[in-house]
Amino acid sequence: MYAFIAGLGTTELLIILAVLVLLFGASKLPELARGSGRALRIFKAETKGLGDDDDTKTTEQRELELRELQARQAESDRIAREHREHRGDTTA
């Protein structure tokens, strides 16, 4: 009937809760829970980001990234060329 968390029964959970209240005080527990929740969300987001490594990328994704990189390089080259022409510098 009662949910068991990590093999702990109701009595053990109540003892742990009582110790937490004694250590931190009842007013600090909501703040502690909020901070723990934030840390858990950050941890979850970071571990999810680890799965997005190059190992999991498809061939199409790699080709798209390569085309985007080439387009950015071409744009950079064009801007540099226009800047040199504006200065009157014809050396590459």
Side-chain angles (χ1 to χ4, degrees):
M1 187 181 253
Y2 292 101
F4 293 99
I5 300 174
L8 298 176
T10 306
T11 307
E12 290 87 359
L13 291 174
L14 289 175
I15 291 171
I16 292 171
L17 182 62
V19 169
L20 287 174
V21 169
L22 289 174
L23 286 176
F24 296 106
S27 63
K28 294 286 184 181
L29 286 180
E31 182 180 324
L32 182 66
R34 229 182 340 270
S36 299
R38 284 188 197 122
L40 190 59
R41 279 192 300 275
I42 292 170
F43 179 75
K44 184 178 177 183
E46 292 296 324
T47 56
K48 184 178 179 184
L50 291 176
D52 297 337
D53 290 343
D54 288 335
D55 297 340
T56 61
K57 291 182 181 174
T58 64
T59 304
E60 292 83 13
Q61 288 172 320
R62 288 189 192 111
E63 289 173 358
L64 179 62
E65 287 179 356
L66 180 61
R67 284 194 300 269
E68 289 173 352
L69 180 63
Q70 290 170 339
R72 285 195 302 266
Q73 184 64 43
E75 180 67 14
S76 177
D77 291 345
R78 183 189 63 77
I79 292 171
R81 188 171 46 254
E82 288 177 358
H83 183 68
R84 282 194 305 270
E85 289 171 358
H86 179 68
R87 287 188 328 191
D89 187 5
T90 58
T91 60

